[in-house]
Amino acid sequence: MSHIEARILTKKEVAQDIFKLSLFCPEIASTVIPGQFVHIECGKDKKFILRRPFSVHRQINEDVFEILFQVVGKGTKSLAEVEVDSCLDIIGPLGNGFKIPDDCKNVLLVAGGIGVAPLVFLAEKLFLSKISFNVLIGCANCQKVVRFPLKDEMTGKIYFSTDDGSLGSKGNAADLLLNHLRKNEKPDRIFACGPEPMLKAVTSIATRNGISCFLSLEERMACGIGACLSCVCKTKSGNKRVCVDGPVFNAFDILWE
Amino acid sequence: MSHIEARILTKKEVAQDIFKLSLFCPEIASTVIPGQFVHIECGKDKKFILRRPFSVHRQINEDVFEILFQVVGKGTKSLAEVEVDSCLDIIGPLGNGFKIPDDCKNVLLVAGGIGVAPLVFLAEKLFLSKISFNVLIGCANCQKVVRFPLKDEMTGKIYFSTDDGSLGSKGNAADLLLNHLRKNEKPDRIFACGPEPMLKAVTSIATRNGISCFLSLEERMACGIGACLSCVCKTKSGNKRVCVDGPVFNAFDILWE
Amino acid sequence: MEPSLSVDIAGIKMKNPVMTASGTFGSGVEYSDFVDLSKLGAIVTKGVTLNERLGNPTPRIYETPCGMLNSIGLQNKGVEAFIREDLKFLEKFDVPVIVNIAGSTIEEYTRVAERLSEESMVKGLELNISCPNVKDGGLAFGASVKSAVKVTSAVRKTTRLPLIVKLSPNVGNIVDIAKGVEDVGADAVSLINTLIGMAIDINSFEPQLANVFGGLSGPAVKPIAVAMVWQVSQAVDIPVIGMGGIINAEDALEFFLVGAKAIAVGTANFIYPEATIKIINGLREFLKKSDFKNISDIINKVKV
Amino acid sequence: MEPSLSVDIAGIKMKNPVMTASGTFGSGVEYSDFVDLSKLGAIVTKGVTLNERLGNPTPRIYETPCGMLNSIGLQNKGVEAFIREDLKFLEKFDVPVIVNIAGSTIEEYTRVAERLSEESMVKGLELNISCPNVKDGGLAFGASVKSAVKVTSAVRKTTRLPLIVKLSPNVGNIVDIAKGVEDVGADAVSLINTLIGMAIDINSFEPQLANVFGGLSGPAVKPIAVAMVWQVSQAVDIPVIGMGGIINAEDALEFFLVGAKAIAVGTANFIYPEATIKIINGLREFLKKSDFKNISDIINKVKV
Ligand SMILES: Cc1cc2nc3c(=O)[nH]c(=O)nc-3n(C[C@H](O)[C@H](O)[C@H](O)COP(=O)(O)OP(=O)(O)OC[C@H]3O[C@@H](n4cnc5c(N)ncnc54)[C@H](O)[C@@H]3O)c2cc1C
Ligand SMILES: Cc1cc2nc3c(=O)[nH]c(=O)nc-3n(C[C@H](O)[C@H](O)[C@H](O)COP(=O)(O)OP(=O)(O)OC[C@H]3O[C@@H](n4cnc5c(N)ncnc54)[C@H](O)[C@@H]3O)c2cc1C
Ligand SMILES: Cc1cc2nc3c(=O)[nH]c(=O)nc-3n(C[C@H](O)[C@H](O)[C@H](O)COP(=O)(O)O)c2cc1C
Ligand SMILES: Cc1cc2nc3c(=O)[nH]c(=O)nc-3n(C[C@H](O)[C@H](O)[C@H](O)COP(=O)(O)O)c2cc1C
Ligand code: FES
Ligand code: FES
């Protein structure tokens, strides 16, 4: 875990209000695993005082990693305005990350909206581990769709759905999942990330189909390192902190409110 | 009086921690008179919420004016970091300005430190009005000295003093004034701007020598337009607001605390 | 159809629920270059006392994180000069004028109230019993239920004008005080006044304000103000005027949602002289966008 | 010569006057990657109750202008697990541990205090009678002189450990409360806890916190905290521990100048995990630069 200044190498608006930053930061890039996140000071100016958590989107090499984020409020707005070559104050890598069991052969990744961010990193790791996978992505509309940068040689297929049907099938990620399970071989495990209603729906589908399922959760965070207890979620084994006990949890352990 | 966005045309560090900005702002540049000031939002980020007042340093033409400022705290620090071509949110022109009576023939300008800012504009007006003048400038040291950009054809002479003797005579602006009055013809009027102790000293010298004397005062300001009553000074005719009743006052009216 | 912003606060009819906060808008004249005063819900003038007051020594303000301290100390020219000059100027505008009044004794409050009640221009009185900036400026009155009730009922007897009591946040029991003044005839309460604060210059070791203490205002205090407005609006039946850190329409909406029937804009005027107008327009836009017909549709509609 | 930062707070010897604020530093373990815990003046742990508490539902925090609201609600694993796990971990560091305790009843306070007094690792107790986030979490105790005195004297009888009482700013008479707890044996007071606040999501009309109210902390509250520390430190003879919005050494200096003998760092830890260490270094630099030999040379030295 480092607290460090990371230089911004590139910045790009990859879809409507969705930005990608690549950061030079060997301390984090060399050790991070998929599902982990970084805690970023989004404005030096102290108009907002707390950091904001973002998943690591891709590990480019030992020195560089990327984040992908959507502008939703003042912190992300300010982050979208940073300049290339300036530095960000970052703490990371944080959290537990996605665990891929050895006997996993066939995996399904399910993303809702910006939930795609950590799954790209995971897909790349799956590819390296020669585990086959498919990707289901639900988005609001085609303008919000982020390219899922699979290398050509990757085995995974990507399926899209949009709420308005402007790309892929019409519907949300859960619809897409239902449909996919109907037509395809049952995966060994589902990894999902996205808004809470979608995660709930995915969990219940996984339950009904008896598929192991892991979710990356989001909660508002202050410290990001387990001290403030702001980010708890209820689980079968009591309150857990999303920042250190998660953000990835076994879906069947979560007690939804 | 306008509330307007002014584009920054140039920015320059003209002396240690002293910056000059030129601003494109016809509304203000075309109407401002020497001694008036502008009220500037120094950071869009709201980390500090109040504007900061700065004298107009020069009227370049009908469209452009300059300010000259010293970095002393967070507002001026942030202002020193603005980028050329970005815009500043400005209210102005504010305040009464220096009055030059018609029978004025020979004027003395006395500046302490950054107090030089409004006097350059005044000097240029005096030159255009064909009124002869001299300038006395006291500074901390030679690194803090700002060039007083008199046109070659201008009649005025400039004398410097520094606290450490690194430029001109050793001493402060009041010493310089005493010395000057001893050797030269008595001016019709003194215009002075600088820190309070210096203004007090100048006032007492002017009093003893029976010279009319006008001062540009500084007080912390919130509104800048006469509403909040934060910027008052005591005068023989009661409390006056530096922002609208001043910033220029007859030195003999001021009741120093 | 344009949504309706008009409200009636204790009989004062306002085009919209956006007022100016006392002491931050002068008497209106200072802002008339930036704001068409007739477009405001109401103008609340700066605090007026019986006789002229010079206020506190300078420095009188200091900026703090997302806020400011002030210790103006009720500088004003006294009620007669106020009527002669400030009220006179406001005659040409079509906007209700509410006069904020302060005093050192109950008698001073009642005399000022009586005098202002003779002026047809005055549409309401706001009783400042919460100024933290002068030893005798009313904070004492606002600090306990007993004294707040005493000054309110005394003023109530001298005027038929709508009477707004401005509450102090520097108390443990703002709800009790609100109920107390309601019981003795206050037509509305307004809150919050400033919070007692202090700042030190670590180079000179001197307080940043000549008066040592000052009143904290601005965005920093907004969460405190919203909480108090919510607590008070649940407890009283008279209208609540909310203020404290309102910079934009979004901020104002928080106050309406927790029960404010009108809001006042203070420190924001210093930052953006047109803040009041921007807030009025922003509220109209919000209602339109969300298909509300009337500002009252959102008042007290927080889901708790 | 290096200036001396060491202080003695009610018999607790500290290398420097920089403590952690309860609830913002976990039990220390969470920060041990960033901070050498042995370098701190003292660690004040998060609030401990007799039995495990689950705390409030989420969202538990919300950011406000230059501040934050929290409604954690005293989540903790209870005093036995705390002793077993957290205290155990802290054994390997050379730093005084002060345990913040809370309860719903006086009996709960005394039982927790009694139990902790058996542990040699515990160098002091901080009585949280000011948590605004649980109905029964002590705010009731901190709201009046009478109840503050009652719980303080009860705990006093059960422990010989240095007893710090943490005061609420949500009162009109913090000075009276401070004097009251001093009279019944408090060895020090610490202030301020958080201010009651609220924020509304104007899109969903819901409060930003599931618990509706939260406690405001961070730079926004600093001027309020400085004013209260000054008022209290003039009124009591026991040491005052100052906190509220301290981000850097300059902020800390304001508190020392108005009479704090030590300070605590809260919200700043979330922003910069090394904030405490930076503040300690900053204080040392300041003393050196200004030729002070001892931190006590600046305590209570504001020129008023
Ligand atoms: C472990 C983790 C990983 C994340 N990874 C990504 C990512 O890769 N890309 C991405 O775009 N976003 C990610 N998020 C969400 C991201 O942190 C929030 O969008 C961001 O904090 C909002 O900040 P803001 O200042 O723009 O919004 P604010 O103005 O603070 O609030 C706007 C909205 O965002 C919500 N929000 C605020 N903080 C959080 C939070 N911590 N988690 C969820 N919602 C929040 C608020 O409730 C509000 O509805 C992640 C969150 C977590 C907890
Ligand atoms: C009418 C007027 C004209 C001015 N013209 C100029 C100018 O041309 N060039 C220039 O460099 N400065 C000028 N000043 C001073 C300038 O406004 C302050 O230096 C500036 O506001 C400091 O802001 P800050 O945020 O950097 O300092 P802060 O961090 O706010 O404070 C740093 C120091 O500056 C002092 N200060 C803060 N506000 C003011 C103020 N309004 N006036 C005086 N001191 C203040 C503080 O007391 C403190 O000691 C003028 C001030 C006035 C009132
Ligand atoms: C400079 C200044 C002067 C004030 N003068 C008065 C006053 O005379 N009477 C009064 O009742 N309130 C006065 N107030 C308090 C404001 O009316 C308002 O209650 C407070 O500032 C909170 O609102 P805000 O955060 O929007 O400024 C004053 C506030 C400021 C900042
Ligand atoms: C997330 C959070 C949790 C807190 N928990 C406690 C607590 O358990 N007990 C307590 O006495 N104070 C608690 N506090 C209050 C702090 O100790 C401190 O008094 C307050 O935050 C002001 O300091 P700051 O502005 O530096 O944060 C908590 C504060 C925060 C922000
Ligand atoms: S964010 Fe502080 S415990 Fe998770
Ligand atoms: S700055 Fe407000 S009256 Fe002068």
Side-chain angles (χ1 to χ4, degrees):
Chain A
M1 195 159 28
S2 309
H3 176 195
I4 207 145
E5 297 265 303
R7 187 167 299 280
I8 301 166
L9 300 180
T10 64
K11 177 176 96 172
K12 209 178 149 190
E13 185 165 3
V14 293
Q16 194 182 53
D17 291 334
I18 297 177
F19 291 79
K20 195 163 78 170
L21 293 183
S22 69
L23 298 163
F24 181 85
C25 187
E27 292 79 358
I28 294 174
S30 60
T31 61
V32 66
I33 64 168
Q36 287 191 306
F37 68 99
V38 291
H39 212 27
I40 302 188
E41 189 186 28
C42 294
K44 283 267 171 242
D45 48 40
K46 297 283 153 302
K47 99 186 109 167
F48 33 90
I49 61 172
L50 298 177
R51 292 167 183 273
R52 304 291 193 265
F54 299 96
S55 304
V56 170
H57 172 52
R58 293 183 68 195
Q59 181 190 36
I60 301 301
N61 54 43
E62 292 282 296
D63 293 330
V64 179
F65 72 90
E66 287 181 347
I67 62 166
L68 181 80
F69 67 94
Q70 179 162 7
V71 174
V72 297
K74 47 194 183 323
T76 44
K77 180 161 184 289
S78 167
L79 196 58
E81 287 163 5
V82 294
E83 278 168 51
V84 169
D85 250 7
S86 67
C87 285
L88 286 174
D89 186 300
I90 296 193
I91 299 175
L94 301 172
N96 59 356
F98 296 108
K99 300 274 164 346
I100 313 167
D102 289 341
D103 58 354
C104 237
K105 299 235 144 42
N106 176 20
V107 166
L108 196 55
L109 310 184
V110 187
I114 194 70
V116 72
L119 298 183
V120 171
F121 187 6
L122 178 59
E124 290 176 341
K125 269 281 139 74
L126 289 169
F127 173 74
L128 290 177
S129 315
K130 300 195 174 16
I131 299 170
S132 79
F133 62 91
N134 288 295
V135 187
L136 311 182
I137 302 177
C139 278
N141 59 57
C142 62
Q143 289 168 315
K144 290 277 179 193
V145 170
V146 178
R147 210 176 67 85
F148 199 98
L150 285 192
K151 298 206 182 70
D152 280 348
E153 343 72 279
M154 282 199 192
T155 49
K157 279 220 185 73
I158 305 174
Y159 304 88
F160 284 101
S161 74
T162 48
D163 296 347
D164 63 357
S166 55
L167 184 88
S169 60
K170 186 164 169 160
N172 59 34
D175 300 332
L176 194 60
L177 173 61
L178 263 184
N179 212 20
H180 183 87
L181 291 178
R182 229 177 271 134
K183 294 187 204 151
N184 296 275
E185 197 192 333
K186 199 166 104 171
D188 298 329
R189 178 166 287 196
I190 294 173
F191 291 108
C193 184
E196 192 172 304
M198 169 215 147
L199 295 182
K200 280 188 202 171
V202 168
T203 304
S204 84
I205 296 170
T207 312
R208 274 183 277 132
N209 288 276
I211 306 167
S212 147
C213 180
F214 283 78
L215 310 174
S216 177
L217 299 188
E218 292 192 1
E219 271 296 337
R220 291 196 202 148
M221 292 182 175
C223 72
I225 59 174
C228 71
L229 305 182
S230 63
C231 66
V232 299
C233 65
K234 290 213 165 106
T235 74
K236 287 182 183 153
S237 44
N239 277 353
K240 294 286 173 194
R241 295 161 299 179
V242 171
C243 65
V244 288
D245 304 320
V248 180
F249 291 93
N250 186 329
F252 306 146
D253 283 343
I254 303 294
L255 300 174
W256 301 104
E257 312 251 322
Chain B
M1 194 159 29
S2 310
H3 178 194
I4 207 143
E5 296 266 301
R7 187 166 298 280
I8 302 166
L9 300 180
T10 64
K11 177 176 95 171
K12 210 179 147 187
E13 186 166 2
V14 294
Q16 194 183 54
D17 291 333
I18 298 178
F19 291 80
K20 196 162 76 170
L21 294 183
S22 68
L23 298 163
F24 182 85
C25 187
E27 293 79 359
I28 294 175
S30 61
T31 61
V32 65
I33 63 168
Q36 287 191 307
F37 68 97
V38 291
H39 212 29
I40 302 187
E41 190 186 27
C42 295
K44 284 269 171 239
D45 49 40
K46 297 286 154 303
K47 101 185 107 169
F48 34 87
I49 61 173
L50 299 177
R51 293 168 182 273
R52 302 291 192 266
F54 299 97
S55 304
V56 170
H57 173 53
R58 291 182 71 194
Q59 181 189 35
I60 301 300
N61 56 42
E62 292 283 295
D63 294 331
V64 178
F65 72 89
E66 289 181 348
I67 62 167
L68 181 81
F69 67 94
Q70 179 159 7
V71 174
V72 297
K74 49 194 182 321
T76 43
K77 181 160 182 291
S78 168
L79 195 58
E81 285 162 5
V82 294
E83 278 168 50
V84 170
D85 250 7
S86 67
C87 285
L88 287 175
D89 186 300
I90 295 194
I91 299 176
L94 300 171
N96 58 355
F98 295 108
K99 300 274 163 348
I100 313 168
D102 289 341
D103 58 353
C104 236
K105 299 233 144 46
N106 177 20
V107 167
L108 197 55
L109 309 185
V110 187
I114 194 70
V116 74
L119 299 183
V120 170
F121 188 6
L122 178 60
E124 291 177 339
K125 269 281 139 72
L126 290 170
F127 172 73
L128 290 177
S129 314
K130 299 193 172 21
I131 299 170
S132 77
F133 62 92
N134 288 294
V135 187
L136 311 181
I137 301 176
C139 279
N141 58 58
C142 61
Q143 288 166 314
K144 289 278 180 193
V145 171
V146 179
R147 210 178 67 87
F148 199 97
L150 286 191
K151 300 205 182 70
D152 280 349
E153 344 72 282
M154 283 199 194
T155 48
K157 278 221 188 75
I158 305 176
Y159 305 87
F160 284 100
S161 73
T162 48
D163 295 348
D164 63 357
S166 54
L167 183 87
S169 59
K170 184 164 169 159
N172 59 34
D175 300 332
L176 194 60
L177 171 62
L178 262 184
N179 212 20
H180 183 86
L181 291 178
R182 232 176 268 133
K183 294 189 203 149
N184 296 274
E185 199 192 331
K186 199 165 106 172
D188 296 330
R189 178 167 286 197
I190 295 172
F191 291 107
C193 185
E196 192 171 305
M198 169 215 146
L199 295 182
K200 280 188 202 170
V202 168
T203 303
S204 83
I205 295 170
T207 311
R208 274 183 275 130
N209 287 275
I211 307 169
S212 149
C213 179
F214 284 77
L215 310 175
S216 179
L217 299 189
E218 291 191 2
E219 271 296 339
R220 289 196 202 146
M221 292 183 176
C223 71
I225 61 173
C228 71
L229 305 182
S230 63
C231 67
V232 300
C233 65
K234 289 215 166 104
T235 74
K236 287 183 182 153
S237 43
N239 276 354
K240 294 287 173 194
R241 296 161 299 180
V242 171
C243 65
V244 287
D245 305 319
V248 180
F249 291 93
N250 186 327
F252 306 146
D253 282 343
I254 303 294
L255 300 174
W256 301 103
E257 313 252 320
Chain C
M1 217 186 67
E2 286 285 303
S4 162
L5 286 174
S6 65
V7 291
D8 179 317
I9 302 290
I12 308 169
K13 293 198 186 346
M14 305 187 190
K15 295 186 195 81
N16 60 65
V18 178
M19 311 165 53
T20 61
S22 176
T24 66
F25 205 72
S27 60
V29 48
E30 293 83 357
Y31 279 90
S32 54
D33 272 5
F34 300 100
V35 169
D36 176 355
L37 301 183
S38 301
K39 294 218 166 118
L40 297 174
I43 288 180
V44 182
T45 65
K46 61 169 172 285
V48 174
T49 53
L50 191 58
N51 301 119
E52 182 180 12
R53 292 214 193 189
L54 294 179
N56 290 321
T58 58
R60 288 180 172 184
I61 58 163
Y62 181 67
E63 201 182 60
T64 65
C66 296
M68 66 178 280
L69 292 167
N70 89 78
S71 63
I72 307 299
L74 286 182
Q75 175 180 337
N76 80 98
K77 41 196 170 190
V79 68
E80 290 304 333
F82 170 79
I83 291 170
R84 218 166 41 232
E85 299 165 18
D86 297 4
L87 268 192
K88 183 85 197 144
F89 167 83
L90 288 170
E91 264 175 16
K92 55 177 183 274
F93 298 98
D94 172 28
V95 60
V97 174
I98 296 169
V99 182
N100 180 278
I101 66 178
S104 314
T105 60
I106 293 195
E107 204 208 328
E108 186 175 357
Y109 276 100
T110 55
R111 284 180 63 188
V112 177
E114 240 170 323
R115 180 64 190 87
L116 287 166
S117 303
E118 296 163 11
E119 297 295 320
S120 62
M121 277 287 293
V122 178
K123 295 293 180 287
L125 298 178
E126 183 179 55
L127 222 58
N128 178 3
I129 57 166
S130 46
C131 178
N133 288 322
V134 284
K135 264 162 230 87
D136 53 2
L139 181 55
F141 291 112
S144 80
V145 180
K146 210 172 125 189
S147 52
V149 160
K150 214 164 148 191
V151 64
T152 305
S153 57
V155 173
R156 176 72 293 171
K157 286 182 194 114
T158 65
T159 185
R160 297 165 71 181
L161 284 173
L163 186 60
I164 303 162
V165 178
K166 183 151 179 187
L167 304 178
S168 170
N170 302 294
V171 297
N173 56 346
I174 194 162
V175 166
D176 297 341
I177 295 175
K179 283 200 237 169
V181 301
E182 176 180 36
D183 284 345
V184 295
D187 298 303
V189 286
S190 58
L191 59 150
I192 57 174
N193 209 316
T194 53
L195 285 133
I196 295 172
M198 186 173 175
I200 313 297
D201 181 333
I202 60 159
N203 296 310
S204 70
F205 287 22
E206 285 175 9
Q208 289 282 7
L209 300 175
N211 189 47
V212 182
F213 294 108
L216 183 66
S217 64
V221 310
K222 193 182 63 170
I224 302 171
V226 171
M228 289 188 165
V229 167
W230 164 247
Q231 290 170 318
V232 168
S233 74
Q234 300 317 294
V236 299
D237 293 319
I238 50 177
V240 173
I241 300 164
M243 73 192 89
I246 298 175
I247 299 289
N248 54 35
E250 286 74 39
D251 297 331
L253 285 164
E254 290 194 64
F255 284 83
F256 291 119
L257 287 169
V258 297
K261 229 180 141 175
I263 58 100
V265 180
T267 304
N269 294 304
F270 305 153
I271 314 175
Y272 300 115
E274 314 82 354
T276 44
I277 299 297
K278 284 204 174 157
I279 291 171
I280 294 167
N281 294 338
L283 290 175
R284 193 178 289 115
E285 286 310 309
F286 178 86
L287 293 181
K288 238 195 229 167
K289 197 189 67 189
S290 322
D291 268 332
F292 290 111
K293 305 221 154 28
N294 203 297
I295 184 79
S296 61
D297 295 345
I298 62 165
I299 291 171
N300 210 14
K301 289 295 156 46
V302 64
K303 296 178 188 154
V304 290
Chain D
M1 217 186 66
E2 285 287 301
S4 162
L5 286 174
S6 65
V7 291
D8 180 316
I9 303 288
I12 308 169
K13 295 202 183 344
M14 306 186 190
K15 295 186 195 80
N16 60 65
V18 178
M19 310 164 55
T20 61
S22 175
T24 66
F25 206 71
S27 61
V29 49
E30 293 84 357
Y31 280 90
S32 55
D33 272 5
F34 300 100
V35 170
D36 176 355
L37 302 182
S38 301
K39 293 216 166 121
L40 297 174
I43 288 179
V44 182
T45 66
K46 63 171 171 287
V48 174
T49 54
L50 191 57
N51 300 119
E52 182 180 15
R53 293 213 191 191
L54 294 179
N56 291 319
T58 57
R60 289 179 171 185
I61 57 162
Y62 182 68
E63 199 182 62
T64 65
C66 296
M68 67 177 281
L69 291 167
N70 88 78
S71 62
I72 307 301
L74 286 181
Q75 176 181 336
N76 79 98
K77 41 195 169 188
V79 67
E80 290 304 334
F82 170 81
I83 291 170
R84 218 167 39 234
E85 299 165 19
D86 298 4
L87 268 193
K88 183 85 199 145
F89 167 83
L90 288 170
E91 266 175 13
K92 56 177 181 271
F93 298 98
D94 171 28
V95 60
V97 175
I98 296 169
V99 182
N100 181 278
I101 66 179
S104 314
T105 59
I106 292 193
E107 204 208 329
E108 187 176 355
Y109 277 101
T110 55
R111 283 182 59 191
V112 178
E114 240 168 325
R115 178 66 190 86
L116 287 166
S117 303
E118 296 163 10
E119 297 296 319
S120 64
M121 276 287 295
V122 178
K123 295 292 181 290
L125 298 179
E126 184 180 54
L127 221 58
N128 178 3
I129 57 166
S130 47
C131 178
N133 287 322
V134 283
K135 265 163 229 88
D136 55 359
L139 181 55
F141 292 112
S144 79
V145 179
K146 210 172 125 190
S147 53
V149 161
K150 215 164 145 190
V151 64
T152 305
S153 57
V155 173
R156 176 73 293 171
K157 287 182 194 114
T158 66
T159 185
R160 295 166 73 180
L161 283 175
L163 185 59
I164 303 163
V165 179
K166 183 151 177 188
L167 305 178
S168 167
N170 303 293
V171 296
N173 56 345
I174 195 163
V175 166
D176 296 342
I177 296 176
K179 283 199 234 166
V181 300
E182 176 180 36
D183 284 347
V184 295
D187 298 303
V189 286
S190 58
L191 61 151
I192 57 174
N193 209 316
T194 53
L195 284 133
I196 294 173
M198 183 176 178
I200 313 298
D201 182 333
I202 59 160
N203 296 309
S204 69
F205 286 24
E206 285 174 8
Q208 290 282 7
L209 299 176
N211 189 47
V212 183
F213 294 108
L216 183 66
S217 64
V221 309
K222 193 182 64 171
I224 302 170
V226 171
M228 289 186 164
V229 167
W230 165 245
Q231 289 170 320
V232 168
S233 75
Q234 300 317 295
V236 300
D237 293 321
I238 51 178
V240 173
I241 300 163
M243 73 193 87
I246 298 175
I247 299 289
N248 53 36
E250 286 74 38
D251 297 332
L253 285 165
E254 289 193 63
F255 284 83
F256 291 119
L257 287 169
V258 297
K261 226 178 145 177
I263 58 100
V265 180
T267 304
N269 293 306
F270 305 153
I271 315 175
Y272 299 115
E274 314 83 353
T276 42
I277 299 297
K278 283 203 175 158
I279 291 170
I280 295 167
N281 293 339
L283 290 176
R284 192 177 292 115
E285 285 312 307
F286 178 87
L287 293 180
K288 235 193 228 169
K289 196 188 68 188
S290 322
D291 267 333
F292 289 112
K293 305 221 155 28
N294 204 297
I295 184 78
S296 62
D297 294 344
I298 63 165
I299 292 171
N300 210 13
K301 290 293 155 50
V302 62
K303 297 180 187 154
V304 290

